[in-house]
Amino acid sequence: LGSPLGDDDAPLETEKAHEVCWKAVDACGGLKHGTKYAARTCVALLEKLLRQDVFPSSRDDPDGKDVLRHVVESDARTPLQPSIAQRRLEVVLTVFASAPAPLSLPRGEQLRRVYEGLLARPRGDVALLSLRCLGTYRLPHLKPYALRLEALLDDAKLRETLVKFRVAREGDARLPEGARKGDDDQLWTVDDAHRAELIPLITRVLYGRFRAR
């Protein structure tokens, strides 16, 4: 009883504690095979984080209006610092990116719209994690191009992907240099059937990339 506290017994720093809690939610299957109450609680916490800390009314954020119209109202409070709010959002989105059946979650369709709005975030991994959250919906207009959109979020691959990834209509498109006809993993041309819903996603991703520069 008289021995000093070891490192494992020391109180966790606030942000580390937040991360550990959400990792525990993921490890316990909160969004995979947890109860309806657990899923509802997780969704409510994400929405509060977005409204109270990421896009508080005291900050004029260009993405806020687009995202918050899909988020329920919550009581206002003093918001976290932007860098802390962003880090917490990344932690939470990591958990939501592993949800196997997003439409079964409370407000699942509204969450999809939230993820789409977050694709334009210019800092950190928010856009990438939001894209992976969208991937859980298995959207036919996104699934064939998901790796291409992820490449747009990678500084090392951005330029090459912009050159090769063609959005011209199928009849007018030619395979760019480096892409081989018939290769499933070299799908560079957008199918006309996917264009209307995919192009806005590409636009959001690119808008965020250019804002970050």
Side-chain angles (χ1 to χ4, degrees), residues 29-34 39 43 95-109 111-112 115 132-138:
L31 294 179
K32 298 172 184 175
H33 46 75
V43 171
V95 176
F96 276 81
S98 67
L103 287 175
S104 70
L105 296 176
R107 299 177 51 76
E109 187 58 40
L111 286 177
R112 173 188 161 186
Y115 302 146
R132 290 176 179 171
C133 288
L134 282 174
T136 64
Y137 287 79
R138 298 175 176 83

Side-chain angles (χ1 to χ4, degrees), residues 44-148:
L45 289 172
L46 170 58
E47 292 190 310
K48 283 186 178 182
L49 176 63
L50 288 167
R51 187 170 288 281
Q52 295 179 341
D53 298 309
V54 180
F55 302 113
S57 58
S58 58
R59 295 185 194 132
D60 185 17
D61 192 300
D63 301 324
K65 183 177 180 181
D66 193 30
V67 171
L68 293 182
R69 61 196 178 101
H70 304 292
V71 174
V72 297
E73 295 289 341
S74 60
D75 295 335
R77 62 170 173 77
T78 303
L80 297 170
Q81 295 179 4
S83 59
I84 295 176
Q86 175 178 295
R87 177 57 190 150
R88 288 195 178 189
L89 180 58
E90 290 173 350
V91 168
V92 176
L93 288 177
T94 299
V95 176
F96 276 81
S98 67
L103 287 175
S104 70
L105 296 176
R107 299 177 51 76
E109 187 58 40
Q110 287 84 358
L111 286 177
R112 173 188 161 186
R113 301 304 178 186
V114 167
Y115 302 146
E116 290 175 349
L118 292 173
L119 290 177
R121 299 303 287 167
R123 300 283 182 258
D125 292 329
V126 171
L128 177 60
L129 291 168
S130 298
L131 182 59
R132 290 176 179 171
C133 288
L134 282 174
T136 64
Y137 287 79
R138 298 175 176 83
L139 302 169
H141 62 273
L142 175 61
K143 188 175 180 180
Y145 318 99
L147 293 179
R148 298 286 170 247

